Amino acid sequence: MKINLSILLILIVYSVNGQIKDNRLKGLEQEIEQWMNTYKAVGLSVSIVENNKILYNKGFGYRDLDRKKRVNENTVFSIASCTKVFTASLLGILEAEDKLFLKDKPSVYIPKLQFYNSKMDELITIEDLLSHKSGLGDINGTLVLFPEDNRLKVLEKLKYIEPEGKVKESSIYSNMGFTIAGAIAEQVSEESWENLIQNKIFNPLDMSHSFTDLETAKKTNNFSFGYGLIKNDIKQVQFEQYHDYKPAGGIRSTSTDLAHWMLAWLNNGARNNNQVLPKAFVKNARKFHNTREGDYESSLFLTGYGLGWRVETQNGEFKVYHGGNTSGFSTLVVTYPFKNLGITVLTNQDDSILPYVIADIIKNRMLEKEKSKDYPVLVTDIYQTNPVNKSINKEKPPTHQLESYVGEYEHKGYGKIKIVLEHDSLYAIYPDYKFFLEHLHHDIFVMKPLEDISDIMNPEFPVNFRTSNWGEITSFTINLQSKPVEFIKLNE
């Protein structure tokens, strides 16, 4: 039998590239490279799935800029808050195994768990945690600055932390909510969140290049460093550790593995005839469980939260997605369930909307919609450590000798901070960090890091010392929440 040479060549090209050419994607790579140049992005990886197939999967740029090591479809990126859907899915799997019920209170599975007040204890459900309806708020200060050696110790602090909103009536994004969800999964299964994610999701979905541990991920030969911009210059940044809030953002993955993930979600939870995610959970997770704040527009309405996902209707299309931002990385996983379309964009650029720009370009191509003529260029500069000023404001000096501020201070919802005096300067010592206290005026100092830290927050919080009626330093406040958090000086 004779085979047409041109057809054979096409088949060879398809086999080598591992993906099918599509006229809708003609010129896409040039467009991606153009936007990477515009954004000064170092590396990027894209996968597109449609109708139960991986249609496109490719890396661009560098995973290691100094050594000029290139990104490909199996390069490992930090996916940050895209992790939340994995944690929500894990609880959906455990519900299908009759190990928990999503409408139950968290305390059913963690009996000693207490929130700030009895109303929260009575009303908060697991579904509320997964849809940001708990009112807890972000509470990132306790997760980042006061890490614990296990998640249950983190949860012991909750009864001392005032919520940021009302239960059932707020939509305040909460990493703590997903930290609690991860702990629930561990309690009902008697396994670690890390093992559960590996065995119940990664393995059955053939996500062989996905990790829940930073050190393990870094041992691969195809791992991306993270980068950010400072005054339009590219700088490598440190990784966010995630400690015990991994269920909120600790997964590292690839565009290939996330293509498998999207295919499961677009096929009612099945992958290769294996029902990995329960059908009932997939349906439930993509429903509106909570609205998101903000004004509706003619092109964007019904925007809110599902379970782990963000859901919205935009330009007539139902979209289920989640983005992620962490030190050195910005990511996006977006699916269009009624179009059987999914797009993943992973970048090693800090605090950037480039993934949203690329995903929108691809969506318009795939759905044959009018191309957008204008996208913004939005990349926030990374935090840069400034030189410390060790002088005292002589016009508005401290009300006490510096020795009077020394001591150990505690907030039971956060932890302990030591204020020490070294070489005529004050320092604040946290469990994993040490900050110089730069004098601002009177009894207010500003925290200044002594070394580079991961770009997950600006740590330059004002520290406002307070005195008793007898003139003694008794506490200080830091703006770790919407209201200042007070740390009480412990008796020596």
Side-chain angles (χ1 to χ4, degrees), residues 144-145 147 243 428-435 453-454 456-457:
V144 175
L145 292 172
H243 299 293
I429 301 177
Y430 290 74
D432 282 0
Y433 299 98
K434 183 177 181 179
F435 297 96
I453 62 174
S454 62
I456 54 175
M457 64 175 179

Side-chain angles (χ1 to χ4, degrees), residues 175-187:
N175 284 329
M176 181 63 82
F178 280 81
T179 302
I180 300 169
I184 292 170
E186 292 179 326
Q187 292 303 297

